[in-house]
């Protein structure tokens, strides 16, 4: 079965850049999406097709995907960005897989 | 605005079945795949399957094959997910979510999500 691995936690100071990675075999050959989930809320799509932002998502959120690693980057991190972040991918054989999630702490 | 509203929390005994509904509004129901995803306490999301809104064709995750049935009623813009043979480890929040791409384009990414339905399995 296909697996996506994320670091359990990442810490960042306000105003700095946070990077969250997601690793999977040949992940760069597939599309990666990223979701933000605040406590007690439903997930929200923040990046799709590796580097596209849905309408309403701030420009400080960006994404990349190459080789075996996709990366979500949050520039100028704000306190409101503190949340759990999940990567997700899809292909015709595995369908949909989510990563285990990364807790972003803004110190 | 685009919205998915799910049915309320359920408490079930082991071996029972549960059926969760997901009512869509603010867009053309027949234009987008609906997916079902569950999230156990403290865990990441887990994909269960999807349903094509027009044909009703389904794709299920292997883990749930034989235990899950997804249906839809286009006349009331509502999708359903029924899970049978419940076990304690099926205790989770169950979400419906819409594909971000409008058919025939498919994103296989999800937005928006419903508010979630907590299903508790306990004797």
């Amino acid at each position: 079965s296909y697996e996506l691995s994320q670091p359990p936690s990442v810490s960042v100071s306000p105003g700095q850049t946070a990077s969250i990675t997601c690793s999977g075999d040949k992940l760069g050959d597939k599309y990666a999406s990223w979701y933000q989930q605040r406590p007690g809320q439903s997930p929200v799509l923040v990046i799709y097709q590796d580097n596209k932002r849905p309408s309403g998502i701030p420009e400080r959120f960006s994404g990349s995907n190459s080789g075996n690693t996709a990366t979500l980057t949050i520039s100028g991190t704000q306190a409101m960005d503190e949340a759990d972040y999940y990567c997700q991918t899809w292909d015709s054989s595995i369908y949909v897989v989510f990563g285990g999630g990364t807790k972003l702490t803004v110190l | 605005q685009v919205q998915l509203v799910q049915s309320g929390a359920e408490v079930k005994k082991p071996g029972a079945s549960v059926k969760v509904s997901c009512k869509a509004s603010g867009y053309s129901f027949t234009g987008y795949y609906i997916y079902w995803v569950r999230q156990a306490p403290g865990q990441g999301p887990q994909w269960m399957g999807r349903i094509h809104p027009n044909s009703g064709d389904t794709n299920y995750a292997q883990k749930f094959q034989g235990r899950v049935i997804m249906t839809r009623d286009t006349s009331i813009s509502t999708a359903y997910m029924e899970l049978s043979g419940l076990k304690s480890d099926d205790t989770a929040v169950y979400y419906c979510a819409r594909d971000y791409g409008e058919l025939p384009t498919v994103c296989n990414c999800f937005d928006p999500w419903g508010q979630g339905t907590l299903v508790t399995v306990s004797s």
Side-chain angles (χ1 to χ4, degrees):
Chain A
S1 63
Y2 193 85
E3 293 184 359
L4 294 175
S5 297
Q6 300 181 235
S9 62
V10 168
S11 297
V12 64
S13 299
Q16 298 305 302
T17 296
S19 294
I20 300 173
T21 58
C22 173
S23 299
D25 185 46
K26 298 179 182 178
L27 180 57
D29 292 344
K30 315 177 199 302
Y31 277 134
S33 300
W34 290 91
Y35 301 86
Q36 176 192 69
Q37 186 176 32
R38 296 189 175 104
Q41 296 188 17
S42 302
V44 173
L45 180 69
V46 295
I47 293 289
Y48 69 101
Q49 291 179 355
D50 296 339
N51 54 22
K52 297 183 172 70
R53 277 180 294 106
S55 58
I57 300 302
E59 289 184 9
R60 63 180 182 273
F61 288 87
S62 62
S64 63
N65 185 17
S66 179
N68 294 323
T69 304
T71 303
L72 172 69
T73 303
I74 309 172
S75 305
T77 306
Q78 300 181 7
M80 66 186 299
D81 299 330
E82 188 163 286
D84 293 328
Y85 290 85
Y86 297 96
C87 60
Q88 173 252 315
T89 193
W90 174 91
D91 78 14
S92 59
S93 60
I94 64 171
Y95 287 116
V96 175
V97 174
F98 287 92
T102 298
K103 181 177 180 60
L104 178 67
T105 301
V106 183
L107 297 167
Chain B
Q1 76 281 22
V2 177
Q3 200 173 8
L4 300 175
V5 177
Q6 300 181 220
S7 48
E10 304 263 13
V11 179
K12 296 292 183 181
K13 293 196 181 304
S17 297
V18 68
K19 190 170 186 177
V20 180
S21 67
C22 170
K23 182 169 178 58
S25 61
Y27 73 98
S28 174
F29 180 76
T30 54
Y32 298 80
Y33 268 105
I34 291 287
Y35 298 80
W36 289 90
V37 177
R38 77 177 187 181
Q39 188 171 29
Q43 304 292 315
Q46 182 177 40
W47 182 73
M48 300 181 69
R50 68 178 183 180
I51 184 165
H52 191 287
N54 287 313
S55 66
D57 286 348
T58 54
N59 301 106
Y60 299 141
Q62 190 169 12
K63 177 181 174 69
F64 301 102
Q65 289 273 5
R67 277 215 300 150
V68 70
I69 299 174
M70 296 177 187
T71 56
R72 89 281 182 246
D73 184 338
T74 57
S75 69
I76 55 172
S77 300
T78 300
Y80 303 91
M81 186 282 300
E82 183 171 19
L83 187 65
S84 59
L86 290 170
K87 301 166 282 190
S88 59
D89 62 3
D90 289 318
T91 294
V93 176
Y94 289 75
Y95 293 100
C96 62
R98 194 196 75 170
D99 195 273
Y100 193 63
E102 184 173 11
L103 292 167
T105 301
V106 182
C107 179
N108 290 297
C109 62
F110 318 131
D111 191 77
W113 296 53
Q115 85 277 19
T117 297
L118 176 61
V119 175
T120 302
V121 183
S122 174
S123 55

